């Protein structure tokens, strides 16, 4: 029987690499979310997560076995912006990065409880969850820390029902987003902070996501996997 997977943010970067890797597996049936691949869903719209879940469930014949929450935004929110603009930026990032993921996690857990089937959640968070980020990215770091806390809560709460949860915390990854950030921060100086000497490739994070989705032993539930070139070790 094939493993049915819903992957958000599948159009580029880590999501596209994960979709490609999982797509090579004959034992996987994947539905992606993104403007250029899979089902279109704008997570700034509060109705989008539930609509996406329903469409994915229909496309996958009424059964989803694995949810991979990868969709996210990384937008500057300067401290000296107008107050209302700063709050809007905070709430937009929280809605896309954390709340949409939480809604999908809830729908997944309820789905597996109703089916008494068990399932897996893989949440792509960030090194920023532990190390923090720039003064213009409080909201990003907070959203990813929330994702890690949510993952651990799910793992602890539902392991006895066969519902497993894992979080991945990449450092800088060579996506379009990361390339822009590296350039804006002076790439060489930023790279000097990474002992490995380079940022991660999307395919490296995709390999971790696939492992968690398909092969990680159940006793690993609740694990947070770092992939940051030793730029932040815990």
């Amino acid at each position: 029987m094939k493993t049915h997977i819903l992957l958000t943010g599948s159009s580029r970067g880590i999501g596209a690499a994960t979709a490609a890797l999982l797509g090579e597996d004959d034992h996987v049936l994947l539905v992606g979310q993104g403007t250029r691949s899979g089902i279109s869903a704008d997570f700034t719209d509060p109705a989008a997560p539930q609509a996406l879940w329903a469409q994915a469930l229909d496309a996958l014949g009424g059964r989803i076995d694995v949810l991979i929450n990868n969709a996210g935004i990384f937008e500057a929110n300067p401290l000296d912006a107008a107050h209302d603009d700063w709050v809007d930026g905070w709430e937009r990032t929280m809605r896309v990065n954390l709340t949409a993921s939480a809604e999908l996690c809830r729908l997944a857990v309820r789905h597996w409880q109703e089916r008494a089937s068990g399932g897996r959640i893989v949440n792509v968070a960030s090194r920023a969850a532990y190390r923090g980020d720039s003064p213009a990215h409080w909201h990003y770091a907070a959203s990813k820390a929330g994702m890690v806390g949510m993952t651990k809560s799910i793992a602890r709460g539902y392991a006895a029902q066969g519902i497993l949860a894992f979080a991945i915390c990449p450092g800088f990854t060579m996506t379009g987003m990361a390339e822009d950030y590296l350039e804006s921060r002076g790439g060489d100086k930023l790279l000097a902070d990474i002992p490995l000497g380079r940022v991660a490739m999307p395919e490296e994070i995709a390999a971790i996501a696939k492992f968690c989705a398909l092969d990680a032993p159940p006793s690993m539930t609740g694990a947070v996997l770092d992939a940051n070139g030793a730029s932040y070790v815990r």
Side-chain angles (χ1 to χ4, degrees):
M1 184 171 67
K2 290 191 175 186
T3 300
H4 292 188
I5 299 178
L6 170 59
L7 164 67
T8 71
S10 62
S11 293
R12 68 174 189 171
I14 292 169
T18 303
L21 188 60
L22 289 169
E24 295 172 357
D25 193 320
D26 292 336
H27 298 97
V28 168
L29 186 59
L30 175 75
V31 167
Q33 170 266 329
T35 54
R36 294 187 295 276
S37 64
I39 300 169
S40 179
D42 178 0
F43 285 158
T44 62
D45 177 1
Q50 193 168 15
L52 170 66
W53 181 265
Q55 291 179 68
L57 201 58
D58 184 62
L60 291 169
R63 189 187 92 241
I64 294 174
D65 304 308
V66 178
L67 167 66
I68 304 176
N69 278 313
N70 168 72
I73 56 175
F74 183 79
E75 299 173 343
N77 197 23
L79 198 63
D80 59 0
H83 182 76
D84 287 349
D85 291 341
W86 189 88
V87 172
D88 286 347
W90 178 279
E91 292 181 345
R92 171 180 163 86
T93 289
M94 287 296 175
R95 159 57 57 186
V96 174
N97 290 8
L98 182 57
T99 305
S101 295
E103 290 185 50
L104 289 169
C105 285
R106 175 185 176 273
L107 291 165
V109 169
R110 295 293 295 138
H111 175 64
W112 297 325
Q113 287 176 329
E114 290 166 5
R115 293 176 57 87
S117 63
R120 293 183 178 224
I121 291 170
V122 183
N123 288 324
V124 181
S126 169
R127 178 187 72 173
Y130 291 100
R131 177 172 154 154
D133 212 288
S134 80
H137 293 90
W138 292 12
H139 54 339
Y140 179 79
S143 71
K144 295 302 186 177
M147 181 174 272
V148 169
M150 177 176 68
T151 304
K152 293 179 178 181
S153 298
I154 292 168
R156 288 177 57 82
Y158 310 103
Q161 299 171 46
I163 296 170
L164 313 178
F166 310 90
I168 304 170
C169 285
F172 287 110
T173 306
M174 194 51 70
T175 65
M177 231 171 13
E179 288 171 357
D180 293 343
Y181 192 85
L182 282 167
E183 185 178 350
S184 71
R185 292 304 182 90
D188 291 342
K189 182 179 179 181
L190 189 148
L191 288 174
D193 190 41
I194 305 175
L196 186 62
R198 63 170 178 83
V199 300
M201 300 305 294
E203 293 77 13
E204 292 179 285
I205 312 305
I208 301 171
K210 181 181 179 183
F211 172 70
C212 291
L214 301 177
D215 300 318
S219 289
M220 266 188 64
T221 190
V224 181
L225 289 80
D226 295 326
N228 60 52
S231 62
Y232 188 75
V233 294
R234 295 181 288 123

